[in-house]
Amino acid sequence: MSAQCCAGQLACCCGSAGCSLCCDCCPRIRQSLSTRFMYALYFILVVGLCCIMMSTTVAHKMKEHIPFFEEMCKGIKAGDTCEKLVGYSAVYRVCFGMACFFFIFCLLTLKINNSKSCRAHIHNGFWFFKLLLLGAMCSGAFFIPDQDTFLNAWRYVGAIGGFLFIGIQLLLLVEFAHKWNKNWTAGTASNKLWYASLALVTLIMYSVATGGLVSMAVFYTQKDGCMENKILLGVNGGLCLLISLVAISPSVQNRQPHSGLLQSGVISCYVTYLTFSALSSKPAEVVLDEHGKNITICVPNFGQDLYKDENLVTILGTGLLIGCILYSCLTSTTRSSSDALQGRYAAPELEIARCCFCFSPGGEDTEEQQPGKKGPRVIYDEKKGTVYIYSYFHFVFFLASLYVMMTVTNWFNYESANMESFFSGSWSIFWVKMASCWICVLLYLWTLVAPLCCPTRQFSV
């Protein structure tokens, strides 16, 4: 059975079916899910490689434990100690190859409506050959002539793509907040218990936001000093209060009856999270105490012992970073997310209140495997229509590749970047997160005041 399973998986890598772990000993899986899983796996492999390239610890360990390390580096013309294969410039090249890979598939999969076309078969299969293509693109980037010009130009492309990726996440968050309130409000017409659900969730959201801001005021500020932290906490707390008041103001309620405190509560929680994340990413402030010793201020005391173990922090932080980016990619590539970004929403009267409103109430069209028929255990669920938009899926991963490149190389402090110091604080990451926080508030405010500023236009949120 084991040999049969391995043979099935090998056939899956070269065939036109998505990876279904192709044997009787493994569970059945939908083609749409298995395809996204394989692309996500490729993405994780390249991101992991980028993190290794940015790690000085890994570079030193390789130099110590690999025999003939310097001779091998000189043989492949990577420098005396393979310096051309590590650092921010190597990450730029590898991410360039990955970004080109997803951009090519974005163009290749335009206007695909079902899985029967030749281009859909390419998208859903041939994994071994696509892995070779991805490897060739990442490797080929190291042979681009005039590397200095390429790296300088590619840095600006990466910054634009990284900010676009953040923008998509913020737009979808605002859309998620409106959709949640609209869906649960639709249920109040038939069942008054939905009012209690709305009130309870709203109370939880504001409790979390208020508790988070108060906790940060306790742990990230001191009586003397920490003025920047105090100002930022005051500004972001004031923004949370502002969006709450605007959401329930009579003028907004007249134009948007579905506007309420649930949406502003969700945004306030996200603002609180970004504020915490930004303060955690801020470089530590060191001052002299009365005894002439250096002490760190404006940071919690209970986390300093953990940060002393750089390897542990790097491993945990890298895993969390990859997980968050991958989650953002996969949740941003559904058909409903694509429709939301294009301004297409379901009519309010067609809303059916559900606790898990993010998922479709009906299952996808599937074609069950015929009894007695041997072969890949895959459910072809896209023969009548695709579950997600292929080109949009690849475009989001294209932007995610640029976001990873900028994040791992510490955005605009790339020359001194490495994974060991990545989680110890950076002004670039701090301001990117604070800017994301304020942009999120502005986007939500615009959805509230846009109908007032442009009364002749129809807004659907």
Side-chain angles (χ1 to χ4, degrees):
M1 180 66 71
S2 177
Q4 180 183 0
C5 182
C6 293
Q9 292 177 21
L10 182 60
C12 168
C13 288
C14 300
S16 59
C19 181
S20 60
L21 302 182
C22 314
C23 56
D24 294 337
C25 61
C26 302
R28 299 171 68 85
I29 187 170
R30 298 181 186 275
Q31 183 185 47
S32 59
L33 179 61
S34 65
T35 296
R36 284 176 284 182
F37 170 80
M38 287 301 296
Y39 283 114
L41 180 60
Y42 287 176
F43 181 80
I44 292 174
L45 290 175
V46 178
V47 174
L49 178 62
C50 292
C51 293
I52 291 174
M53 288 178 166
M54 291 298 297
S55 174
T56 56
T57 302
V58 173
H60 291 151
K61 293 293 184 182
M62 291 176 61
K63 185 177 180 179
E64 293 175 0
H65 295 90
I66 296 180
F68 310 106
F69 179 76
E70 293 184 359
E71 290 77 4
M72 182 183 66
C73 291
K74 293 177 181 178
I76 60 176
K77 298 181 180 180
D80 293 339
T81 57
C82 287
E83 60 269 15
K84 293 183 179 179
L85 299 181
V86 296
Y88 78 93
S89 61
V91 172
Y92 276 23
R93 297 182 183 103
V94 170
C95 287
F96 173 80
M98 180 167 64
C100 289
F101 174 83
F102 284 113
F103 187 72
I104 289 173
F105 276 93
C106 174
L107 299 178
L108 181 67
T109 55
L110 286 171
K111 303 296 183 180
I112 293 181
N113 298 318
N114 56 61
S115 62
K116 295 180 180 180
S117 67
C118 177
R119 291 183 296 148
H121 284 296
I122 296 175
H123 167 79
N124 289 313
F126 303 100
W127 298 110
F128 178 72
F129 300 109
K130 281 191 281 195
L131 182 60
L132 292 180
L133 177 62
L134 177 60
M137 287 185 167
C138 293
S139 302
F142 286 86
F143 300 96
I144 295 176
D146 196 0
Q147 290 285 332
D148 292 338
T149 303
F150 162 72
L151 293 176
N152 290 330
W154 184 238
R155 183 177 304 117
Y156 290 106
V157 175
I160 295 172
F163 283 121
L164 282 176
F165 180 77
I166 294 174
I168 288 177
Q169 308 310 312
L170 297 178
L171 283 171
L172 292 178
L173 175 70
V174 173
E175 184 271 338
F176 167 81
H178 283 295
K179 183 177 180 181
W180 189 354
N181 186 78
K182 184 189 296 186
N183 185 270
W184 282 23
T185 302
T188 59
S190 58
N191 191 339
K192 301 303 179 183
L193 287 177
W194 286 107
Y195 280 119
S197 300
L198 283 167
L200 177 61
V201 172
T202 302
L203 179 62
I204 293 174
M205 291 291 175
Y206 276 102
S207 299
V208 170
T210 304
L213 291 172
V214 171
S215 299
M216 282 184 281
V218 172
F219 292 112
Y220 284 93
T221 63
Q222 295 179 0
K223 185 177 180 180
D224 298 324
C226 307
M227 185 57 63
E228 290 180 355
N229 291 3
K230 293 176 182 177
I231 293 175
L232 291 173
L233 287 172
V235 168
N236 290 352
L239 289 176
C240 293
L241 178 62
L242 173 65
I243 60 177
S244 301
L245 295 176
V246 172
I248 59 175
S249 63
S251 55
V252 171
Q253 288 289 316
N254 289 335
R255 292 285 298 175
Q256 297 191 70
H258 293 289
S259 176
L261 291 176
L262 176 60
Q263 300 101 307
S264 56
V266 173
I267 303 301
S268 297
C269 278
Y270 192 66
V271 167
T272 302
Y273 159 72
L274 283 180
T275 304
F276 168 73
S277 183
L279 293 179
S280 301
S281 303
K282 185 181 177 184
E285 296 183 38
V286 180
V287 298
L288 294 176
D289 63 4
E290 61 272 13
H291 303 293
K293 294 182 179 180
N294 290 329
I295 59 172
T296 303
I297 61 172
C298 307
V299 294
N301 293 325
F302 55 80
Q304 293 184 13
D305 292 335
L306 175 64
Y307 277 89
K308 291 179 181 178
D309 189 347
E310 290 185 351
N311 291 335
L312 177 61
V313 172
T314 301
I315 294 173
L316 293 178
T318 302
L320 183 63
L321 173 68
I322 295 174
C324 290
I325 294 174
L326 192 61
Y327 174 79
S328 298
C329 289
L330 295 179
T331 55
S332 302
T333 52
T334 60
R335 182 171 291 276
S336 60
S337 298
S338 177
D339 291 342
L341 291 175
Q342 299 177 56
R344 298 198 296 259
Y345 301 91
E349 59 272 12
L350 301 179
E351 285 283 348
I352 301 175
R354 304 186 307 276
C355 291
C356 298
F357 64 92
C358 294
F359 300 95
S360 174
E364 297 92 345
D365 175 61
T366 63
E367 177 183 308
E368 296 293 336
Q369 185 175 327
Q370 297 178 3
K373 181 180 178 181
K374 295 183 178 180
R377 292 174 57 80
V378 60
I379 302 175
Y380 296 96
D381 57 338
E382 297 183 303
K383 288 197 171 184
K384 292 185 178 179
T386 57
V387 175
Y388 59 101
I389 301 176
Y390 292 171
S391 58
Y392 175 63
F393 172 85
H394 289 293
F395 181 71
V396 170
F397 269 90
F398 163 73
L399 295 180
S401 303
L402 302 179
Y403 177 76
V404 166
M405 181 185 79
M406 298 303 296
T407 302
V408 171
T409 58
N410 214 354
W411 287 85
F412 302 107
N413 292 335
Y414 50 88
E415 292 183 348
S416 59
N418 61 72
M419 291 306 297
E420 284 73 18
S421 63
F422 179 79
F423 301 97
S424 61
S426 166
W427 284 112
S428 294
I429 295 177
F430 169 78
W431 286 114
V432 166
K433 291 179 178 178
M434 290 307 303
S436 301
C437 173
W438 297 329
I439 292 173
C440 181
V441 172
L442 290 176
L443 287 174
Y444 176 64
L445 280 176
W446 174 247
T447 63
L448 297 179
V449 302
L452 303 178
C453 299
C454 308
T456 58
R457 290 190 58 185
Q458 183 68 29
F459 293 89
S460 298
V461 290

